[in-house]
Amino acid sequence: MTKYDIKKVGQKVIKLESLALDKLSKSLDKDFIKAVELISQQNGKIIISGVGKSGNIAGKIAASFTSTGIPAIYLNPVDASHGDMGIIEKSDILIILSNSGESNELSDLVNFSKKKKIKIISITSSKKSLLSKNSDINLILPDHSEADKLQTIPTTSTTMSLALGDALCCSVLSLRKFDKKSFLELHPGGKIGKKLKTLNEIMDTDIPIINTSSSIIDAVLVMTEKKYGCVVVLGSNKKIKGIITDGDLRRSIANINIKERATNIMKSKPIVATGDLLISSAIVLMNKFSITSLIIVKKDKPIGIVNIKKCLEND
C-alpha cells in the first residue's frame, strides 16, 4: 500500500463511522427518553455490563456517569456469574451492551436481574435478540457495517454504543442541572479541575476599604498597607460607591490636597465580578480593562479581592 492508500483507508473508516453516528442521532426515540428519565430518577447505582469490546465501552460509560455525580460501576458478566452478582441491589439499574444481544455470558446476569425485578436497559442492534426480549427499555443501534475490510471487528458498533452512552449521560445531567461547580467538586485534582476553579476559592477577604468621608491620605495609607494598588470606597449602606487606584493618585497628585475627600478622585463604576466567575474568565476580564486587581461582590457589597498574579498562579 502507498501512503495515499493508507490515508484513504483511514478516511473511509472515519467517514463510515460518522455516517453511522448521524443515523444513530436520528434514530433516538421515546425509548431513549424513557431511559434518561429512568436513570435520572434512580436512587441506587447504574451497573453497566458487556462482553469483550462491549465491556470496554461499558467501562468508559460507567466512568463518565461516575465523574458527573451519578454512582456507576462496570460489572464483568463472567465475574458476576462467579460471585460478584451480590453487588447488585434492588434500587440499581442495569445497562447491558451487546451488539448481537445473544452473548451467553450475559444470561446469568439477566436472569438474576429479572428475578430481583431490577430494571434493564439494553443497547443492542437486534430487537429480536434474547437481551432485547428480556429488557425493560431497548436502545436499538440502527443498521450498520463494521468499518474493517472484513466487516467483522467491533468498530462502528462500539463507536455508536459509546456515543449512545455519552448521550444518556449528558441528557441525564441536563435534567439534574449538573453545573461546573458540581463538576469541580468531583475533580479537585488535574488540569480540568484547575481550569474550573472560581474566584471564591482564591480571593482575599481582607479588602482595602475606606468610606466616603475618608481623605486622600487615608486612601494612600490603606492602599499601602493592603498592597493591592487600590482602595474601595463604600457608602453608608456598605455598598460600593467607587474605587481609587494608585494610577488615579499619580495622575492627580499635582492638583490635589491630600486632606481632601477621597471621593474627589474616585472612579464611580469599578470593574467587579461575582465569586462564581472562573479564574480564567477573570484573567480575560482584567486584561480587557487593563486592571491588576478585581473586586468580588455579592449584591453590590464587596466580599473579596484578587490580583492578576494570584489568578495566573491558579490558572
Side-chain angles (χ1 to χ4, degrees):
M1 289 180 69
T2 65
K3 293 181 179 179
Y4 175 79
D5 292 332
I6 294 171
K7 180 180 176 181
K8 291 297 289 184
V9 170
Q11 290 175 330
K12 182 179 178 181
V13 170
I14 293 171
K15 183 176 182 180
L16 182 64
E17 294 193 5
S18 65
L19 289 173
L21 289 177
D22 183 58
K23 198 173 181 180
L24 174 64
S25 173
K26 294 174 181 176
S27 74
L28 298 186
D29 56 15
K30 61 183 180 181
D31 288 321
F32 177 80
I33 297 171
K34 287 180 182 178
V36 171
E37 291 176 339
L38 177 63
I39 295 170
S40 66
Q41 293 164 7
Q42 61 86 28
N43 295 313
K45 304 182 296 297
I46 306 297
I47 297 175
I48 310 178
S49 188
V51 180
K53 302 298 186 295
S54 292
N56 295 333
I57 300 301
K60 190 277 174 185
I61 295 172
S64 294
F65 273 112
T66 300
S67 72
T68 50
I70 300 169
I73 62 167
Y74 165 66
L75 178 61
N76 186 307
V78 177
D79 292 337
S81 296
H82 292 275
D84 286 359
M85 209 81 77
I87 201 169
I88 305 175
E89 300 173 299
K90 286 186 177 180
S91 57
D92 295 339
I93 295 171
L94 181 61
I95 300 177
I96 301 179
L97 283 67
S98 174
N99 189 36
S100 67
E102 301 288 349
S103 300
N104 291 328
E105 296 91 338
L106 296 170
S107 58
D108 289 341
L109 183 58
V110 172
N111 288 334
F112 178 86
S113 299
K114 294 291 286 184
K115 288 178 183 178
K116 296 293 183 180
K117 297 183 179 179
I118 292 165
K119 296 291 185 181
I120 301 175
I121 299 171
S122 68
I123 296 178
T124 180
S125 296
S126 175
K127 290 182 179 179
K128 298 180 180 179
S129 67
L130 287 175
L131 177 58
S132 295
K133 291 176 181 177
N134 287 283
S135 298
D136 297 281
I137 299 174
N138 294 307
L139 303 179
I140 305 299
L141 302 178
D143 292 339
H144 61 275
S145 297
E146 301 294 8
D148 67 294
K149 65 179 183 179
L150 301 176
Q151 297 186 349
T152 303
I153 301 172
T155 46
T156 308
S157 58
T158 50
T159 297
M160 286 198 292
S161 295
L162 179 59
L164 189 51
D166 287 341
L168 285 172
C169 182
C170 294
S171 298
V172 171
L173 292 190
S174 295
L175 280 181
R176 290 191 167 197
K177 297 181 179 179
F178 189 84
D179 55 17
K180 290 179 179 179
K181 181 180 179 182
S182 303
F183 189 88
L184 179 57
E185 289 175 353
L186 297 171
H187 298 75
K191 190 173 182 180
I192 293 177
K194 196 173 182 181
K195 288 293 183 184
L196 292 176
K197 278 189 175 181
T198 62
L199 294 179
N200 277 327
E201 298 174 68
I202 65 167
M203 70 181 184
D204 184 358
T205 55
D206 187 16
I207 311 166
I209 290 173
I210 60 174
N211 57 49
T212 52
S213 63
S214 299
S215 66
I216 294 175
I217 188 59
D218 293 329
V220 172
L221 293 173
V222 173
M223 192 183 300
T224 303
E225 178 189 356
K226 304 298 183 182
K227 299 180 180 179
Y228 274 100
C230 66
V231 288
V232 181
V233 183
L234 299 186
S236 57
N237 57 2
K238 304 298 181 182
K239 292 185 178 181
I240 298 176
K241 295 287 289 185
I243 191 170
I244 301 170
T245 67
D246 52 4
D248 295 326
L249 284 171
R250 288 195 300 272
R251 286 186 289 272
S252 305
I253 194 69
N255 303 310
I256 59 172
N257 181 333
I258 59 173
K259 294 182 179 180
E260 291 178 16
R261 286 198 173 189
T263 51
N264 291 345
I265 61 170
M266 78 174 186
K267 293 176 182 174
S268 60
K269 295 182 178 181
I271 306 301
V272 299
T274 54
D276 58 358
L277 184 70
L278 295 179
I279 293 173
S280 54
S281 298
I283 293 172
V284 172
L285 184 63
M286 284 189 273
N287 284 332
K288 179 181 179 180
F289 290 98
S290 300
I291 57 176
T292 57
S293 294
L294 187 61
I295 310 302
I296 296 94
V297 300
K298 184 175 183 180
K299 295 181 179 179
D300 296 326
K301 294 182 179 181
I303 59 171
I305 186 171
V306 67
N307 61 27
I308 195 165
K309 181 180 177 181
K310 187 70 175 287
C311 287
L312 291 170
E313 289 172 352
N314 286 273
D315 183 46

